[in-house]
């Protein structure tokens, strides 16, 4: 494989949200996911933080012609950094996106997790890694104390995917197990 790759750990795991080629399951060691407050919006961003003893699952995909413009635009709030990944086809170097430190916020107000985004992310993990992959996503992500903004009736996330009743129930069960508090959109 000669094209450069990105490592997606959130919505990019859901293949229905993009058409990048050569997508394959992968894992990266030394990172955890986190819901982070930023100065950019009143919703939490999903990002990664360094964590030497943690490994997270995701998806790598090729960036044809080394043309990062569209992906960088999609991930405009993030920095792109190289990481070593273990993919289905073997070891690779890929780029991972993390929120820019200058955008981090220590605001005391809530920055809720957008439910339509989380639904789409967890659907991707379910399709790629099964129910164990969803459980692993939940376990390797910090910041679940943020409220969840329930926008299912009128999704805010622009790449929202329709979920089956079973998929919705799976998301709801995991959030219930966490004791998540919901706010209406």
């Amino acid at each position: 494989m000669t094209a450069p790759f990105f490592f997606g750990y959130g919505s990019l795991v859901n293949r229905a949200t993009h058409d990048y080629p050569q997508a394959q399951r992968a894992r990266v060691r030394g990172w955890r996911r986190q819901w982070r407050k930023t100065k950019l919006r009143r919703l939490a961003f999903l990002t990664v933080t360094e964590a030497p003893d943690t490994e997270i699952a995701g998806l790598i995909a090729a960036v044809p012609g080394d043309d990062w413009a569209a992906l960088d635009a999609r991930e405009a709030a993030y920095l792109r950094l190289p990481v070593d990944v273990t993919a289905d086809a073997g070891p690779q170097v890929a780029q991972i996106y993390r929120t820019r430190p200058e955008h981090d916020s220590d605001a005391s107000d809530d920055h809720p997790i957008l439910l339509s985004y989380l639904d789409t992310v967890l659907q991707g993990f379910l399709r790629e890694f099964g129910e164990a992959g969803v459980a692993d996503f939940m376990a390797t992500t910090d910041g679940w104390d943020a409220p969840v903004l329930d926008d299912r009736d009128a999704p805010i996330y622009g790449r929202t995917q329709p979920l089956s009743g079973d998929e919705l129930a799976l998301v709801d069960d995991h959030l219930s197990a966490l004791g998540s508090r919901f706010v209406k959109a």
Side-chain angles (χ1 to χ4, degrees):
M1 296 184 205
T2 58
F5 288 84
F6 66 82
F7 177 83
Y9 53 85
S11 63
L12 287 164
V13 174
N14 191 325
R15 295 176 196 237
T17 71
H18 65 85
D19 60 359
Y20 288 98
Q22 297 177 310
Q24 57 185 290
R25 291 179 302 273
R27 299 188 73 78
V28 64
R29 177 165 287 291
W31 298 89
R32 283 184 71 80
R33 290 178 207 82
Q34 179 184 46
W35 295 106
R36 175 151 312 148
K37 296 178 184 182
T38 74
K39 300 170 189 170
L40 298 176
R41 66 180 187 191
R42 305 267 312 163
L43 297 169
F45 275 86
L46 184 62
T47 190
V48 287
T49 58
E50 293 182 61
D53 296 330
T54 304
E55 182 177 79
I56 60 173
L59 197 75
I60 64 168
V63 181
D66 206 13
D67 181 7
W68 289 92
L71 192 55
D72 285 348
R74 176 179 170 150
E75 307 296 330
Y78 296 80
L79 292 172
R80 184 165 33 99
L81 306 167
V83 292
D84 293 323
V85 301
T86 304
D88 284 351
Q92 299 285 333
V93 174
Q95 298 289 313
I96 195 169
Y97 286 89
R98 69 183 291 178
T99 52
R100 296 175 184 273
E102 64 267 24
H103 298 314
D104 291 349
S105 174
D106 56 3
S108 60
D109 57 331
D110 288 329
H111 282 64
I113 298 165
L114 188 60
L115 186 56
S116 60
Y117 175 79
L118 181 60
D119 284 344
T120 300
V121 169
L122 292 183
Q123 181 187 60
F125 275 85
L126 181 62
R127 289 177 177 174
E128 295 296 330
F129 302 102
E131 288 187 24
V134 173
D136 183 66
F137 174 92
M138 302 299 284
T140 58
T141 304
D142 297 325
W144 292 113
D145 55 332
V148 177
L149 181 64
D150 184 354
D151 66 329
R152 279 185 179 156
D153 291 338
I156 295 169
Y157 179 57
R159 294 178 190 88
T160 298
Q161 299 299 307
L163 273 68
S164 71
D166 288 344
E167 289 171 330
L168 291 169
L170 180 67
V171 174
D172 292 346
D173 288 349
H174 278 280
L175 291 174
S176 177
L178 290 170
S180 295
R181 64 187 163 98
F182 291 83
V183 293
K184 282 306 246 179

